[in-house]
Amino acid sequence: MSDAVYDILFSELDKRGIDHLANEPMSLHTTFKIGGAAKAFISPRDGEELSFAVNAASDLGVKTFVLGKGSNVLFDDEGYDGAVISTLSLDKIRVSDNMITCDAGVSVTSLSRFALEKSLAGLTFAYGIPGSVGGAVFMNAGAYGGEIKDVLMSSTYLDTTDGKIKTLTAKEHDFAYRYSSYKAHLDRVILNATFLLREGDHNDIKAEMDDFMDRRRTKQPLEFPSAGSVFKRYPGRYTAQMIDEAGLKGAAVGGAEVSVKHAGFIINKGGATSADVTALIELIKKTIFEKFGIEIECEIIRVEK
Ligand SMILES: Cc1cc2nc3c(=O)[nH]c(=O)nc-3n(C[C@H](O)[C@H](O)[C@H](O)COP(=O)(O)OP(=O)(O)OC[C@H]3O[C@@H](n4cnc5c(N)ncnc54)[C@H](O)[C@@H]3O)c2cc1C
């Protein structure tokens, strides 16, 4: 897409006062710290701005990608010839009885802390997951025996096909392991989500959160940039264990390395490119297939130019 098209897009956004950046490196907005520049990086503050931005891009034939905290994505080294719509300025959170309604850009760790402040139980598992609420609902994020599906009551989204704001009940999310129906409807942008929690004891909730965080610090290579577990669990098998048994801990391509601390993680040891990570992923998949006859599937989402 030509620069002239982006100039028109930026002028439309300026008229509405919507925050945006040109040629923004995606390495600054992803936990892998990898990815070239997105031609446009737009930060709407509410559903109306978001709808306007998506429509303006679509009218000009500019593709869009919705980004939360970038903790489960791998952007191309060549960048993104389109508009990345960041949800991080959608940041309101409110409580009513045992329900918390939270905008898509709030981090799930902040949501978990907010629940603790209100002595509401059910979100301890989310403490330490470095994603946004939108990304966590999209992925049905989970840890330590808990998943978003256990506590989500409903979510509200912008249907970009008709510009209307709609609501999904919990059931309509078709939740499964690391799956929600949003994965089958990429024209829907999650605006907020409501969680139904239960009254709990502040100290008990805090103790569980601290325990989960300790386990993360002990077992995960949090000192290096990564996108968490690269592969989905294979039914009945721990993927990280298979990678370890295949002797792949420490295997590297360029700056990308299979973590020695947790074989399910690929870490950016410094200067890793998306091509390095992709080549390492292919090496792992091939080796696991040769050794175990199993095809493992990627959990992280690759965003092509
Ligand atoms: C150190 C580390 C530990 C991790 N631990 C866990 C863990 O324990 N459990 C777990 O499940 N995951 C874990 N992850 C992965 C990741 O944090 C989760 O998948 C998280 O839910 C992704 O949220 P995000 O906001 O970063 O999404 P992003 O990476 O920004 O986006 C992921 C996908 O969601 C879509 N998306 C994001 N927001 C919206 C929205 N508002 N509307 C529509 N689509 C949207 C994006 O388009 C993209 O396809 C970990 C990652 C790291 C780096």
Side-chain angles (χ1 to χ4, degrees), residues 31 65-73 87 104 129-132 134-136 138-139 141-143 178 188-190 216 220 222 226-228 265 301:
T31 55
F65 182 83
V66 179
L67 186 70
K69 290 187 78 75
S71 64
N72 213 29
V73 288
T87 62
I129 296 179
S132 66
F138 182 91
M139 301 294 300
R178 298 295 173 270
R188 297 176 175 179
V189 185
I190 302 162
R216 280 183 187 278
Q220 299 181 358
L222 301 183
S226 80
F265 280 53
I301 288 156

Side-chain angles (χ1 to χ4, degrees), residues 69-297:
K69 290 187 78 75
S71 64
N72 213 29
V73 288
L74 178 62
F75 273 90
D76 201 295
D77 301 318
E78 298 291 313
Y80 184 68
D81 189 357
V84 169
I85 312 281
S86 166
T87 62
L88 298 192
S89 298
L90 307 176
D91 58 1
K92 288 180 202 60
I93 183 162
R94 51 220 168 262
V95 65
S96 166
D97 299 324
N98 288 0
M99 284 179 295
I100 295 178
T101 299
C102 191
D103 284 355
V106 173
S107 85
V108 283
T109 290
S110 304
L111 168 64
S112 187
R113 275 203 206 100
F114 184 83
L116 169 67
E117 274 169 33
K118 308 289 171 200
S119 296
L120 290 174
L123 274 167
T124 51
F125 76 88
Y127 189 54
I129 296 179
S132 66
V133 164
V137 172
F138 182 91
M139 301 294 300
N140 185 25
Y144 306 115
E147 280 177 299
I148 288 292
K149 77 169 175 50
D150 303 333
V151 278
L152 186 94
M153 211 169 98
S154 63
S155 69
T156 298
Y157 67 93
L158 171 74
D159 184 340
T160 60
T161 62
D162 60 11
K164 293 197 171 128
I165 290 176
K166 301 177 183 172
T167 297
L168 282 189
T169 61
K171 195 164 181 289
E172 287 168 331
H173 288 74
D174 296 336
F175 281 125
Y177 171 64
R178 298 295 173 270
Y179 180 84
S180 78
S181 57
Y182 284 111
K183 283 194 162 181
H185 294 279
L186 297 180
D187 44 20
R188 297 176 175 179
V189 185
I190 302 162
L191 297 175
N192 63 55
T194 298
F195 299 92
L196 180 60
L197 306 169
R198 29 175 223 286
E199 277 173 33
D201 177 82
H202 184 277
N203 292 337
D204 290 349
I205 298 169
K206 180 158 188 328
E208 197 161 77
M209 285 164 67
D210 290 344
D211 175 40
F212 291 162
M213 189 57 95
D214 280 350
R215 291 201 225 171
R216 280 183 187 278
R217 289 206 185 98
T218 316
K219 301 226 167 86
Q220 299 181 358
L222 301 183
E223 60 281 24
F224 290 104
S226 80
S229 291
V230 176
F231 300 98
K232 289 185 184 167
R233 223 170 38 213
Y234 189 83
R237 303 294 293 261
Y238 284 107
T239 313
Q241 197 180 333
M242 286 193 282
I243 297 171
D244 186 4
E245 283 172 24
L248 286 168
K249 270 188 174 175
V253 177
E257 186 178 298
V258 178
S259 165
V260 175
K261 198 168 177 186
H262 186 315
F265 280 53
I266 289 179
I267 54 173
N268 179 356
K269 288 267 300 208
T273 62
S274 114
D276 292 342
V277 175
T278 304
L280 191 51
I281 287 173
E282 292 313 316
L283 172 72
I284 297 168
K285 283 172 114 172
K286 183 168 169 284
T287 312
I288 294 296
F289 186 72
E290 284 167 1
K291 190 166 166 60
F292 300 98
I294 282 173
E295 278 188 50
I296 51 173
E297 210 188 315

